[in-house]
Amino acid sequence: MKRLFIIALTLTLTALLSGCAEPASRNGTDPQTARLLDSLDAVLAQHDDIIAEKERRIARIKSLDKGLDPQARYNLYDNIFNEYYSYDFDSASHYAALKREEALKSGDRVKASVAALNKARADLARGRDMEAANAMASASADTGIAEVALPYLDLLTTIADASPDSILRLYDRKIALLDSGTPGWVYNEAGRLRASGEPRAALEAIARHRDTLDATPRDRAISRFIAGELQRELGDTVAAMRSFTQSAINDIITPVRDYSSLYELAAMLFDAGDIDRAYRYITFAAKDHYASNVNSNVIAANKLMPTIAAAHNSRTADREHRQRLLIAAVSVLALTLIAVSLWLYAAYRATQRAAREKSALNERLTDATTQLSTLNARLAESNTTKDAYIVQYLSLCSYYIECVDRYRNNLRAVARNKGVEEMLYMLNSTTSADKELKEFYNSFDSTFLKLFPDFIDRFNDLLQPDKRLCVRQGELLTTELRVFALIRLGVRDSEQIASFLRRSLSTVYNYRVKMRNASRFPRQDFEEMVANIG
């Protein structure tokens, strides 16, 4: 019964939590649009780095303003103007004015007029209509020249109070001055079609010449923005949202701060119900509109921000309310779980005691098994060592019996053939004994290294790098290594080692002290570590 009560209570609280949970967003974006929006978010995350690189690029260009003639300086200022246009219109206006000054210095009226129209366009963007009108007036005398006429007519087209008929005439005049198929011709043709009430034909013209219009990120931003406006006008909001998203991505990459596409995208997302994203985009765009000083952006921000911010604040308040309900539900669930935990604790303690006893028994069994395994390993090692040395002992005994017999026969032959004096000479000579001792060392070394092939490397690992032992060519073990080989075999007594190796006791003692001093580890542990090699 208690178990059924717990299950029922858990199901009830789960239902309560599900009711308190915030509903999933239903903004209606299709997968392709969602992927584009994710790409835009990724680009926005890199905004600060992109802006920093833009500032460094402008600074590098400005640093070239040294020792230039008016024509070269005009070109430099033109480059800086293009960098600042749609990024910082105050600076763009300033450098357009500097361009005009350099053109006047060189006596080039056409370039002076073009520079004046550049300034007028920047002034219009920042809402300085009177300054723009004055700049246009200074260039009006040269509008008979195509190089001046085109930007002049562009400015006239952007004037808000121009009538539809006059706009069509302006488009016709500009198209007549442009080569067919160029980007300027395409945009003006699309503008003329749109002004004539043919937005679909205008959109088709943009799509038909997309390869021509998409040379740079800034070009792509402009073409996608115009396409988005036309698609929205035709009622295709899905395509329009994609176009505005692509335009915004290229605006950020360029970078510019004239975020017209981002404002339009925020408005469409808000209408689609994606309030969080709309709020994030409008806030991002508003953060930079003062830097670019675009009058239209300020108006757009003032129009959109209150509505989107109010909706965002309302959603935030709703989330907080849901969170409070969630906290209350979780608290009830937590109290219930505490009560159940206390009820289960008594049974758990009994189970835990049994588990501890079982664990202790298992540990003792494991220790016994480990000790038995260690003992078996040592016995196996001891047996292997004993077997090897018994065989070696028998071989040596047989060898030395044969040597004694051969030596006896040799002495008898010498005594018979060469006399007693020659026999005494051979008895006094150590050559035979040295040869047999060398043979003994070689036999011991080879047998030991078969049992412990890595003994030398493992022994050197215990020593300081500069104190390691090297075996000369033709040798298997040095005398020092033989001393510690015997220690590895369990022979610890120095007298016994000296007897085995036919060395003095002091020599063996000195070797042991020398190696302990060369150890990388505590001196008192060195010989024990040697005994455990292998």
Side-chain angles (χ1 to χ4, degrees), residues 145-164:
I145 303 170
E147 189 177 351
V148 178
L150 278 171
Y152 187 82
L153 293 171
D154 277 337
L155 284 167
L156 290 178
T157 307
T158 61
I159 295 174
D161 58 358
S163 64

Side-chain angles (χ1 to χ4, degrees), residues 255-299:
V256 300
R257 285 169 169 160
D258 180 10
Y259 299 127
S260 300
S261 53
L262 202 56
Y263 285 108
E264 299 295 341
L265 181 59
M268 294 191 74
L269 288 169
F270 177 76
D271 291 338
D274 195 345
I275 296 172
D276 291 338
R277 202 172 228 134
Y279 179 78
R280 191 164 70 250
Y281 290 169
I282 197 70
T283 303
F284 178 89
K287 185 175 65 175
D288 269 357
H289 73 240
Y290 292 110
S292 64
N293 201 17
V294 183
N295 189 52
S296 59
N297 284 356
V298 175
I299 295 171

Side-chain angles (χ1 to χ4, degrees), residues 169-395:
R169 286 194 298 273
L170 288 170
Y171 276 125
D172 289 337
R173 290 174 62 185
K174 287 192 288 181
I175 290 170
L177 295 170
L178 291 164
D179 294 333
S180 176
T182 60
W185 183 90
V186 175
Y187 283 132
N188 281 285
E189 176 65 14
R192 187 187 66 79
L193 291 169
R194 185 180 183 184
S196 301
E198 300 180 64
R200 188 171 301 281
L203 182 60
E204 290 171 356
I206 295 292
R208 195 164 51 249
H209 296 87
R210 176 160 289 179
D211 291 342
T212 303
L213 303 178
D214 288 354
T216 66
R218 182 58 180 156
D219 294 334
R220 286 192 292 274
I222 294 170
S223 69
R224 298 300 191 280
F225 179 77
I226 295 173
E229 288 188 317
L230 292 168
Q231 288 159 343
R232 184 175 55 188
E233 192 172 330
L234 291 167
D236 190 350
T237 56
V238 173
M241 187 178 292
R242 291 176 189 167
S243 294
F244 285 134
T245 304
Q246 291 170 332
S247 177
I249 289 171
N250 285 283
D251 274 342
I252 303 300
I253 292 173
T254 299
V256 300
R257 285 169 169 160
D258 180 10
Y259 299 127
S260 300
S261 53
L262 202 56
Y263 285 108
E264 299 295 341
L265 181 59
M268 294 191 74
L269 288 169
F270 177 76
D271 291 338
D274 195 345
I275 296 172
D276 291 338
R277 202 172 228 134
Y279 179 78
R280 191 164 70 250
Y281 290 169
I282 197 70
T283 303
F284 178 89
K287 185 175 65 175
D288 269 357
H289 73 240
Y290 292 110
S292 64
N293 201 17
V294 183
N295 189 52
S296 59
N297 284 356
V298 175
I299 295 171
N302 291 337
K303 179 181 177 182
L304 289 171
M305 277 294 288
T307 304
I308 295 178
H312 182 266
N313 291 338
S314 175
R315 173 165 288 191
T316 302
D318 182 59
R319 284 174 177 164
E320 290 175 353
H321 175 67
R322 292 177 183 276
Q323 286 175 353
R324 286 194 292 270
L325 291 177
L326 283 169
I327 291 170
V330 170
S331 299
V332 173
L333 181 59
L335 290 173
T336 304
L337 291 176
I338 290 172
V340 173
S341 298
L342 292 173
W343 173 65
L344 293 173
Y345 182 65
Y348 171 75
R349 288 188 61 185
T351 304
Q352 195 72 2
R353 281 196 299 272
R356 282 197 297 270
E357 292 173 0
K358 181 180 178 182
S359 177
L361 182 60
N362 285 337
E363 286 180 5
R364 289 196 294 273
L365 183 60
T366 300
D367 290 342
T369 302
T370 302
Q371 292 173 8
L372 182 59
S373 297
T374 303
L375 181 59
N376 285 336
R378 289 179 178 174
L379 286 173
E381 179 188 342
S382 177
N383 288 336
T384 301
T385 304
K386 288 176 180 178
D387 290 346
Y389 272 94
I390 287 170
V391 171
Q392 183 66 13
Y393 171 75
L394 293 174
S395 298

